[in-house]
Amino acid sequence: MWYKLFKVGLFGPGVRALWHPWVVGEENIPSHGGAILACNHIELLDPVILAAMIGRQLTYPAKKELFQANKGLGSKVVAWFLKAVDQVPLDRSGGRRSVEGIRPVIERLMEGGLVGIFPEGTRSADGELYKGKTGVARMALMADAPVIPVALVGTELVKGRFGIPKVDRPGIIIGRPLDFSALRGREEEVAVLRWITNEVMDAIQQLGGQEYVDVYGFRVKYGNLKGKDLTPWQRPRPGGVPVPQPVVHVPEPVAPAPEPGGPELADATGTSEQP
């Protein structure tokens, strides 16, 4: 109820009136059933613009700390809002805990929900497209859900009248669903997760035309690549290679059992006799 109220009564009309966004390809979003919208991330307002402009209700995984309401009045308001509009918590602490942390997202997909994620994990510092994190691949395989690539264009904040920031006619380009169901059961293979993620990022790049840089965006914003020349990591595209072959585990050979009464048995009893 709250989601529809906020969308129809506030965010939808507000976004349309203020920024006049446009959408191409909304017919590529299934009318029902679980699916993942995988988007590039340029600006803070990206999630609001996307949710306001598509017909189906959209769920974003938000870091679980935002649901805890333990940092004063502001955090209580944020936690209430996220719960009211039916968003889900995501554990981003890393490792196996993060694998378990996406369970609420998997459940939402299996219930038939539409989930929106930003595989880069952070907003682009310079408008380039950066390496995607493999959570999108794990979600797609575990929930058997298609991934729909989405390119957001022109969502950057620019100075408007009186210096007030505004967005100038942002666009949403929605591509055809990507089906990775043939790879189900291989979600523990790192190479498969990386391949799927690269294919998703490749589709996003083809839609939006961003230059691709094969490093994680947080390294450029906060880490050891901040302010560095990124030319060595620029690539024409993130995907376009064959799917990894299944890993074949060859069993170790088993030594044959000793024959009854053979030398090993005789020696063990101390009664062997030489012929």
Side-chain angles (χ1 to χ4, degrees):
M1 180 188 74
W2 283 107
Y3 184 98
K4 187 173 183 179
L5 181 63
F6 277 114
K7 178 176 179 176
V8 175
L10 179 61
F11 293 114
V15 166
R16 287 179 171 87
L18 291 173
W19 304 322
H20 310 290
W22 51 272
V23 181
V24 173
E26 188 174 1
E27 68 276 5
N28 290 320
I29 300 177
S31 60
H32 62 278
I36 302 168
L37 296 187
C39 320
N40 60 326
H41 202 0
I42 300 173
E43 193 55 78
L44 185 65
L45 294 170
D46 291 348
V48 176
I49 295 171
L50 180 61
M53 294 303 298
I54 64 172
R56 286 187 63 180
Q57 178 168 333
L58 185 58
T59 297
Y60 290 115
K63 59 182 181 180
K64 68 175 185 178
E65 291 81 6
L66 294 177
F67 289 80
Q68 294 173 354
N70 57 0
K71 294 183 179 180
L73 179 60
S75 69
K76 288 181 171 59
V77 172
V78 170
W80 174 84
F81 177 78
L82 291 174
K83 294 173 184 176
V85 296
D86 202 25
Q87 305 306 287
V88 294
L90 177 67
D91 186 342
R92 304 195 304 178
S93 56
R96 297 302 304 180
R97 290 180 63 186
S98 284
V99 174
E100 291 302 315
I102 66 173
R103 290 290 176 188
V105 185
I106 302 301
E107 292 171 4
R108 179 59 52 88
L109 288 167
M110 297 184 75
E111 290 167 358
L114 183 66
V115 171
I117 65 170
F118 300 91
E120 292 168 279
T122 188
R123 298 190 303 275
S124 174
D126 50 14
E128 309 285 42
L129 184 69
Y130 286 93
K131 187 175 182 177
K133 296 188 176 183
T134 58
V136 60
R138 193 178 293 276
M139 292 176 191
L141 294 181
M142 292 179 68
D144 195 17
V147 181
I148 301 157
V150 178
L152 299 168
V153 297
T155 62
E156 301 92 340
L157 287 170
V158 296
K159 282 188 178 182
R161 185 176 297 180
F162 308 115
I164 300 174
K166 70 170 188 175
V167 180
D168 188 17
R169 287 192 55 79
I172 302 170
I173 306 172
I174 304 169
R176 294 179 178 178
L178 305 175
D179 180 9
F180 300 109
S181 58
L183 297 173
R184 283 205 75 189
R186 301 180 64 185
E187 52 265 23
E188 297 304 322
E189 295 182 34
V190 175
V192 169
L193 296 179
R194 172 47 56 195
W195 183 84
I196 291 174
T197 304
N198 285 351
E199 289 298 299
V200 171
M201 301 308 292
D202 189 77
I204 294 172
Q205 185 200 32
Q206 298 304 312
L207 293 172
Q210 290 171 280
E211 296 294 329
Y212 178 68
V213 183
D214 196 34
V215 295
Y216 292 118
F218 72 86
R219 292 181 61 191
V220 178
K221 290 178 69 174
Y222 311 112
N224 61 337
L225 293 179
K226 184 176 181 179
K228 299 292 182 64
D229 178 15
L230 301 177
T231 304
W233 291 276
Q234 291 178 341
R235 301 287 185 272
R237 58 187 295 190
V241 299
V243 63
Q245 293 299 310
V247 177
V248 178
H249 297 282
V250 180
E252 296 183 2
V254 179
E259 297 181 3
E264 291 89 347
L265 179 60
D267 289 342
T269 58
T271 58
S272 63
E273 296 181 1
Q274 298 297 325

